[in-house]
Amino acid sequence: MFLAVSIVCDDYFLPSLEIISECLGLSQDVAGATFMAAGSSAPELVTAFLGAFVTKGDIGVSTILGSAIYNLLGISAACGLFSSVVSRLSCWPLFRDCLAYTISAAAVLAMIADNRIYWYESASLLLIYGCYILVLCFDIKINQYLMKKFSPCCTCFTKAMEENAEQQPLVGWRDESGPLIRQQSRTDSGIFQDELDYSQLSTSLHGLDEISEDHPNVFTMPEADMKRILWVLSLPIITLLYLTIPDCRRQFWRNWFMVTFLISAAWISAITYVLVWMVTIAGETLGIPESVMGLTLLAAGTSVPDTVASVLVARKGNGDMAMSNIVGSNVFDMLCLGIPWFIKTAFITTSGPIEVSSSGLTYTAISLICSVGFIFLAVHLNGWKIDKKLGTICLVLYLVFTVLSILYELGIIGNNPTRVCGN
């Protein structure tokens, strides 16, 4: 299942995202925070609907909030450790996404504090996400204003961006306007770039400046021996995906990129469901406590698409897109909770609120706030770049948070009853 997610992301999901970004003129960080985050977070959306309408429990809340630490620290560690390219980061996108995530998480935690969800509370979650999208639409204008206003405080960041601009200019940045000020959009919204400067993605996800018909077929056998063995083992998966998803990298299917995006997101959800199912069975067989499974294997399992997608783009040097996907997917996860809650409270059970569990709320709130603060501080102290040093720091922080969480859930720290999977 890990291999299947990797193939879907690399061969279908990311190429479709590349064409969407090219057609809409999205900058790397905006594309990562919107389409990439929504597609890779499709499993969380399915989980939220299952929790609200099928199991009628708080599975959606526990899964999304429980995997928050892994999403921020675990995936950041994977991007740093598994990427051979040092990726520069921009200050504004990371600050914007971290602030939006902090507000969204605080709103969710405040809502479930009384164990009840009302329709106006779930509607406020959708409103917060709508405001986040609105900020993304005027991203360039806001970025311009803030950089002009606070430029004296960002001298070290300016040098880092100048160094990065010499190596690989970011999408939508102009040399003559300075390293920190992006160009005005063609429609006076910040999300679109000028056509003259954005005829092609200058830093595409796969290094493809043009998508042509001579793109290698998925059935082309690799030359390296290890890759050839892996290709043979994954051939059933490759065949199934080839028959069900149009390959928008080929000229014939190029205009079907939205269909590719939607079907690949659906496949990601289905594969992740099976993956989490298998992990749960393994946990039940080994007698691992349910809370420990949720904080470790299940948290990582539901975030496999985010991990794979972020690592793949980080290895191409697109650091802003990787970080925006990491944090932006968490913001989208909050929307995941808002949609089923609003549908259920506003249209199905209008007589009363939804009952949810808020056990461990205090520790969850502290963990969320600390993880956001730590990732922002770690990136700042590391000189606004993703490298193996940042990956090691994030990995250590993730292990510390996980150990403390497990001790808390097992009752060693605090008083919590322990449940075993299947009971």
Side-chain angles (χ1 to χ4, degrees):
M1 292 300 104
F2 272 104
L3 186 62
V5 171
S6 176
I7 294 171
V8 173
C9 288
D10 201 20
D11 292 347
Y12 300 98
F13 179 67
L14 293 181
S16 66
L17 179 69
E18 179 182 345
I19 301 178
I20 291 172
S21 302
E22 181 182 347
C23 293
L24 296 180
L26 303 181
S27 60
Q28 290 183 17
D29 55 283
V30 174
T34 51
F35 287 98
M36 189 176 180
S40 59
S41 294
E44 279 86 353
L45 182 60
V46 174
T47 302
F49 271 94
L50 286 174
F53 296 104
V54 180
T55 64
K56 294 181 174 57
D58 62 333
I59 181 174
V61 183
S62 59
T63 301
I64 289 171
L65 295 182
S67 62
I69 298 175
Y70 174 82
N71 287 351
L72 287 170
L73 298 177
I75 302 179
S76 298
C79 289
L81 294 174
F82 295 121
S83 176
S84 57
V85 179
V86 177
S87 304
R88 294 289 182 181
L89 295 174
S90 304
C91 179
W92 163 245
L94 183 61
F95 174 77
R96 174 199 67 204
D97 295 335
C98 285
L99 181 62
Y101 178 57
T102 303
I103 294 172
S104 302
V108 171
L109 293 170
M111 289 173 195
I112 65 176
D114 60 351
N115 298 330
R116 290 187 177 90
I117 302 295
Y118 295 90
W119 71 268
Y120 52 84
E121 291 178 331
S122 56
S124 66
L125 277 182
L126 303 182
L127 182 62
I128 291 172
Y129 194 79
C131 293
Y132 177 60
I133 296 298
L134 190 64
V135 169
L136 291 178
C137 290
F138 294 94
D139 179 66
I140 291 179
K141 282 191 171 184
I142 297 173
N143 188 30
Q144 279 187 332
Y145 174 77
L146 291 176
M147 289 306 170
K148 286 179 180 178
K149 192 81 173 174
F150 301 105
S151 56
C153 306
C154 301
T155 52
C156 59
F157 174 57
T158 304
K159 293 178 182 177
M161 290 307 303
E162 285 173 347
E163 291 173 4
N164 185 55
E166 293 174 2
Q167 298 172 0
Q168 183 182 22
L170 292 176
V171 174
W173 294 69
R174 300 189 58 156
D175 294 334
E176 63 267 26
S177 61
L180 291 177
I181 301 176
R182 292 190 230 180
Q183 183 195 354
Q184 292 286 349
S185 72
R186 59 172 175 261
T187 56
D188 287 330
S189 70
I191 199 169
F192 297 105
Q193 317 295 328
D194 184 64
E195 283 188 31
L196 297 176
D197 289 329
Y198 204 94
S199 56
Q200 297 281 347
L201 274 177
S202 62
T203 52
S204 65
L205 301 180
H206 295 271
L208 298 173
D209 292 329
E210 245 179 55
I211 299 179
S212 56
E213 287 187 276
D214 60 354
H215 187 277
N217 193 290
V218 291
F219 294 108
T220 304
M221 186 178 290
E223 295 182 3
D225 291 337
M226 287 304 299
K227 289 185 177 180
R228 188 173 295 184
I229 294 172
L230 195 62
W231 179 83
V232 171
L233 292 174
S234 60
L235 196 56
I237 300 171
I238 293 174
T239 305
L240 181 61
L241 297 176
Y242 177 80
L243 295 174
T244 54
I245 310 176
D247 190 352
C248 63
R249 295 173 297 177
R250 305 183 69 82
Q251 191 63 35
F252 182 80
W253 296 107
R254 180 183 170 86
N255 294 330
W256 291 67
F257 59 89
M258 279 307 300
V259 177
T260 303
F261 178 82
L262 295 173
I263 297 179
S264 59
W267 266 115
I268 287 172
S269 299
I271 293 168
T272 306
Y273 176 81
V274 178
L275 176 65
V276 173
W277 181 16
M278 295 299 105
V279 170
T280 305
I281 291 176
E284 181 180 348
T285 305
L286 298 174
I288 301 174
E290 187 180 58
S291 54
V292 176
M293 287 287 294
L295 289 166
T296 54
L297 296 178
L298 290 181
T302 55
S303 300
V304 165
D306 291 314
T307 307
V308 172
S310 295
V311 170
L312 286 174
V313 296
R315 294 179 71 172
K316 302 297 180 182
N318 300 336
D320 281 333
M321 179 175 278
M323 290 303 297
S324 291
N325 176 55
I326 292 170
V327 188
S329 63
N330 284 338
V331 179
F332 183 82
D333 289 346
M334 300 303 146
L335 171 69
C336 290
L337 293 171
I339 293 177
W341 284 350
F342 181 74
I343 293 175
K344 191 168 185 178
T345 53
F347 303 106
I348 299 177
T349 56
T350 56
S351 57
I354 299 177
E355 298 289 335
V356 295
S357 173
S358 62
S359 60
L361 178 64
T362 304
Y363 183 80
T364 303
I366 295 173
S367 300
L368 290 175
I369 295 171
C370 290
S371 59
V372 173
F374 275 132
I375 190 66
F376 194 86
L377 184 63
V379 171
H380 176 70
L381 295 177
N382 197 48
W384 295 95
K385 59 182 182 290
I386 299 178
D387 55 10
K388 295 191 183 299
K389 180 182 175 183
L390 178 66
T392 305
I393 293 172
C394 290
L395 179 61
V396 171
L397 289 174
Y398 172 64
L399 292 176
V400 170
F401 271 115
T402 304
V403 169
L404 290 176
S405 301
I406 291 174
L407 293 176
Y408 176 80
E409 292 292 340
L410 291 177
I412 299 174
I413 300 176
N415 295 314
N416 269 336
T418 304
R419 292 185 299 169
V420 176
C421 289
N423 295 338

